[in-house]
């Protein structure tokens, strides 16, 4: 790994390992997920001025009124995806943001399709994943509420911004046996919801209360 990716002091491997320890204590069990977090330099996904805070278990601003999700939430959602009824090979992510969740997913599944409505964020995320030599992610600048129909169906769908109501278009792009993890609800009352697609119906369950930025319509530069 190059020096910038490796980090030093508050961004070093030891600091990443302390974060993993805290995640383990907070109930994250999947060794696959914990390992991915251990080997992903979260400090390159935030502004340099915030890099020393990158391994705190907290959401941080990434510009354009958006945030990089809290590591615990990233771990929780990824763990839920890996527990789908079919092994997640092809995954759709709605809300690329910083690209951190994308980078974690890219280590655990074969192919990630990631949609972001703010082009400036998408370009930065793309550059970071290139720097990490990640090559199994396809990006799209678009309104992800409509999914990404050309590549459907997906084994899993992860949404990292919260709609008030779960978009049917996304549910319809799930494979049979597939799973979608999505925060939904009004600001201040969001819940992480899990949908498993069966042959002729969906089974729904709920994880934690969460706080995400809203899923918005349209696109922005
Ligand atoms: N997983 C990201 C989360 C970023 S915040 C990370 O950890 O960095 C959520 C992101 O969803 C924001 O970048 C926001 O611009 C994006 N977003 C909101 N509504 C969207 C939509 N309809 N389609 C695609 N992206 C959307």
């Amino acid at each position: 790994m190059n020096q910038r990716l490796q980090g030093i002091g508050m961004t070093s491997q030891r600091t990443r390992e302390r974060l993993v320890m805290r995640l383990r204590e907070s109930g994250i069990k999947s060794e696959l997920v914990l390992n991915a977090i251990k080997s992903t330099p979260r400090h390159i996904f935030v502004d340099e001025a915030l890099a020393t805070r990158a391994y705190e278990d907290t959401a941080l601003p990434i510009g354009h009124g958006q945030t990089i999700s809290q590591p615990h939430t990233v771990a929780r959602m990824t763990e839920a995806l890996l527990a789908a009824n079919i092994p997640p090979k092809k995954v759709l992510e709605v809300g690329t943001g910083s690209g951190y969740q994308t980078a974690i997913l890219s280590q655990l599944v074969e192919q990630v399709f990631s949609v972001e409505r703010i082009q400036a964020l998408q370009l930065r995320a793309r550059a970071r994943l290139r720097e990490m030599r990640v090559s199994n992610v396809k990006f799209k600048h678009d309104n992800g509420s409509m999914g990404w129909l050309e590549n459907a169906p997906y084994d899993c769908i992860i949404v990292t911004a919260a709609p008030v109501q779960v978009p049917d278009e996304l549910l319809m792009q799930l494979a049979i046996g597939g799973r979608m993890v999505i925060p939904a609800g009004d600001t201040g009352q969001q819940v992480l919801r899990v949908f498993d697609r069966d042959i002729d119906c969906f089974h729904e369950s709920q994880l934690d209360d969460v706080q995400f930025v809203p899923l918005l319509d349209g696109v922005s530069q």
Side-chain angles (χ1 to χ4, degrees):
M1 236 199 284
N2 76 32
Q3 286 258 295
R4 191 175 105 87
L5 293 186
Q6 205 149 19
I8 169 174
M10 289 301 283
T11 62
S12 66
Q13 187 57 38
R14 282 195 57 178
T15 318
R16 271 190 287 288
E17 277 160 22
R18 273 199 293 274
L19 169 63
V20 167
M21 224 167 63
R22 278 197 300 278
L23 293 176
R24 215 187 274 281
E25 281 162 14
S26 73
I28 304 301
K29 294 195 173 62
S30 166
E31 292 300 326
L32 289 171
V33 172
L34 292 168
N35 266 330
I37 289 180
K38 193 174 0 183
S39 61
T40 305
R42 190 169 186 257
H43 61 275
I44 72 160
F45 291 85
V46 294
D47 271 1
E48 230 165 296
L50 289 171
T52 56
R53 299 193 53 200
Y55 299 103
E56 292 174 19
D57 189 15
T58 160
L60 292 168
I62 54 171
H64 304 264
Q66 307 304 318
T67 52
I68 179 172
S69 306
Q70 181 185 352
H72 176 80
T73 308
V74 171
R76 209 55 183 127
M77 293 175 87
T78 312
E79 192 170 61
L81 289 188
L82 294 185
N85 290 322
I86 51 173
K89 291 191 180 143
K90 197 165 130 190
V91 175
L92 172 67
E93 176 187 46
V94 177
T96 314
S98 67
Y100 178 70
Q101 170 81 69
T102 326
I104 298 286
L105 285 171
S106 73
Q107 298 166 53
L108 299 167
V109 307
E110 274 173 28
Q111 180 86 61
V112 182
F113 295 89
S114 189
V115 188
E116 169 58 55
R117 65 179 289 282
I118 302 177
Q119 188 163 36
L121 289 180
Q122 197 233 48
L123 292 175
R124 251 179 279 159
R126 220 186 245 273
R128 291 175 180 126
L129 267 71
R130 201 179 309 127
E131 185 180 356
M132 286 178 65
R133 302 193 189 289
V134 169
S135 58
N136 59 343
V137 178
K138 290 211 161 57
F139 295 92
K140 188 180 184 190
H141 174 223
D142 203 353
N143 171 9
S145 319
M146 310 303 286
W148 187 343
L149 194 57
E150 291 90 321
N151 306 299
Y154 301 95
D155 304 319
C156 282
I157 299 178
I158 178 171
V159 184
T160 67
V164 176
Q165 288 195 344
V166 175
D168 281 342
E169 288 82 359
L170 292 179
L171 286 168
M172 296 326 292
Q173 291 178 30
L174 259 188
I176 303 225
R179 170 173 277 198
M180 172 157 84
V181 180
I182 181 170
D186 287 316
T187 313
Q189 304 180 356
Q190 298 166 4
V191 179
L192 210 46
R193 295 166 74 175
V194 178
F195 292 87
D196 287 304
R197 185 167 196 175
D198 212 331
I199 292 170
D200 50 9
C201 64
F202 291 90
H203 301 286
E204 199 202 321
S205 53
Q206 299 195 343
L207 296 174
D208 327 78
D209 289 349
V210 283
Q211 235 182 324
F212 275 86
V213 295
L215 187 77
L216 299 174
D217 272 338
V219 292
S220 150
Q221 292 308 304

